Amino acid sequence: MTTGVAELARRTYVALVHHPVLDKEGQTVTTAVTNLDIHDIARASRTFGLAGYFVVTPITAQRELVGQIVGHWTHGAGRAHNDKRTDAVSLVRIVPALADAIEQVARQNDQAGNPFVVATGARPRKETLSAAELREARIPEQSSMLLVFGTGWGLAPEVFASADAVLEPICGPDPNDHYNHLSVRSAVAIVLDRLFATPGRA
Amino acid sequence: MTTGVAELARRTYVALVHHPVLDKEGQTVTTAVTNLDIHDIARASRTFGLAGYFVVTPITAQRELVGQIVGHWTHGAGRAHNDKRTDAVSLVRIVPALADAIEQVARQNDQAGNPFVVATGARPRKETLSAAELREARIPEQSSMLLVFGTGWGLAPEVFASADAVLEPICGPDPNDHYNHLSVRSAVAIVLDRLFATPGRA
């Protein structure tokens, strides 16, 4: 079981989408990349043994910025300062659109075709899967999995419409309390833990 | 069961400790407060229905800074901009030492005395508890729980020595891969999810 989970993690990628996502009013916008989204999600991706982490933004200057941050840690001064961070940030790939992430994953796994694309969001929806259901039964053998997270106020509807599955939202313990405004950094960490954690006993 | 979990969450607090914590070389230091630690952990604490979130730093100027950030969102311009953020940041309490957090929790719950203090860390240790064990059996009835997280390279040994329990570290799926350098923001989110989440079906 543990081996199976580690094996699935090794063919799983995260995508952090900055477009198309919604703003507070429900309009489709492009959000800005933040330094900490790169680091926190890279560290979580590395901790849970993933294959890669795509930062998705159509803005050229933002892709260049991400490239500079990644370069600092993988080739620059950061490497000497903290090699654990280098290890994590090395997972980062920078692409203009989610379709490019899907294509890159498909190319790396040419026997199995496109990855199984899983959209995530905070709002309750019909026909969502739990992490356990996703892990145990739904990913075609050999397929890669691409877990897609939205910045801003969440992924635009077309991302959900084109996904192969939607993960259930993360909810607190009180069924009468509908507050679930986690940061995307927290949401990624929780989803990876639900899918891939193992007991950490001494 | 769900009701019991929500009830335990309502008597649970998080403490984010900036001293005493370790640096990369294992020396005890005081780290700087970061804006995003306040926001991300407040949002996770609110999502999982906790009673409060203590930011612990002995540096007066840092406590004032945290007070200004909290004030911006609870009384200032931030309130009109995003009331969900106000809701989360209202949970923040600012104290100079972990002992002050313990005392404040004890005072709010005078029938049950000191909270049950749980230390967390990334390194494997003997006699750690899983989140399920902690949730299901270990917290004295009526007691509050204080979950303690370290910044920097983790809590200093004396915090572990004086805690009532230690939570097992968060580990990825590959037993031969010992990388678990999550951000403290990610670690808090995962621990709260393990303790207090419920299914999020539509």
Side-chain angles (χ1 to χ4, degrees), chain B residues 2-202:
Chain B
T2 298
T3 311
V5 172
E7 193 277 317
L8 178 59
R10 279 196 294 272
R11 50 189 165 98
T12 296
Y13 298 76
V14 163
L16 183 71
V17 173
H18 298 83
H19 178 91
V21 295
L22 303 180
D23 70 4
K24 203 171 142 187
E25 274 77 39
Q27 303 297 309
T28 297
V29 294
T30 301
T31 57
V33 171
T34 73
N35 183 40
L36 222 41
D37 283 349
I38 301 172
H39 282 282
D40 276 19
I41 296 175
R43 293 163 73 181
S45 298
R46 179 65 189 83
T47 295
F48 291 104
L50 303 202
Y53 161 33
F54 290 93
V55 175
V56 182
T57 172
I59 301 175
T60 307
Q62 295 262 299
R63 290 200 303 280
E64 289 170 359
L65 174 68
V66 178
Q68 283 164 16
I69 294 170
V70 171
H72 170 79
W73 289 100
T74 53
H75 300 96
R79 185 175 185 134
H81 176 68
N82 186 343
D83 61 343
K84 303 291 185 204
R85 199 60 70 89
T86 302
D87 216 8
V89 172
S90 302
L91 291 174
V92 176
R93 319 268 179 269
I94 311 160
V95 291
L98 188 56
D100 299 297
I102 293 170
E103 195 192 306
Q104 278 199 23
V105 174
R107 230 185 297 143
Q108 293 192 350
N109 188 7
D110 57 4
Q111 294 171 319
N114 279 354
F116 189 83
V117 177
V118 181
T120 65
R123 204 151 50 81
R125 290 163 197 276
K126 286 182 183 164
E127 298 179 22
T128 55
L129 299 179
S130 70
E133 288 166 345
L134 188 62
R135 183 182 57 226
E136 282 157 23
R138 303 306 177 100
I139 313 303
E141 194 132 350
Q142 310 294 327
S143 265
S144 297
M145 173 159 64
L146 182 63
L147 299 167
V148 186
F149 294 84
T151 55
W153 291 69
L155 294 167
E158 60 261 40
V159 180
F160 288 99
S162 68
D164 297 304
V166 177
L167 205 56
E168 66 178 18
I170 297 160
C171 292
D174 182 348
N176 299 315
D177 179 6
H178 301 292
Y179 187 103
N180 66 341
H181 301 277
L182 293 169
S183 75
V184 70
R185 297 170 289 281
S186 295
V188 173
I190 289 170
V191 166
L192 297 187
D193 183 66
R194 289 182 176 189
L195 283 166
F196 301 123
T198 52
R201 298 306 172 83

Side-chain angles (χ1 to χ4, degrees), chain A residues 1-6 135-136:
Chain A
M1 175 67 187
T2 297
T3 310
V5 172
R135 184 182 58 226
E136 283 156 25

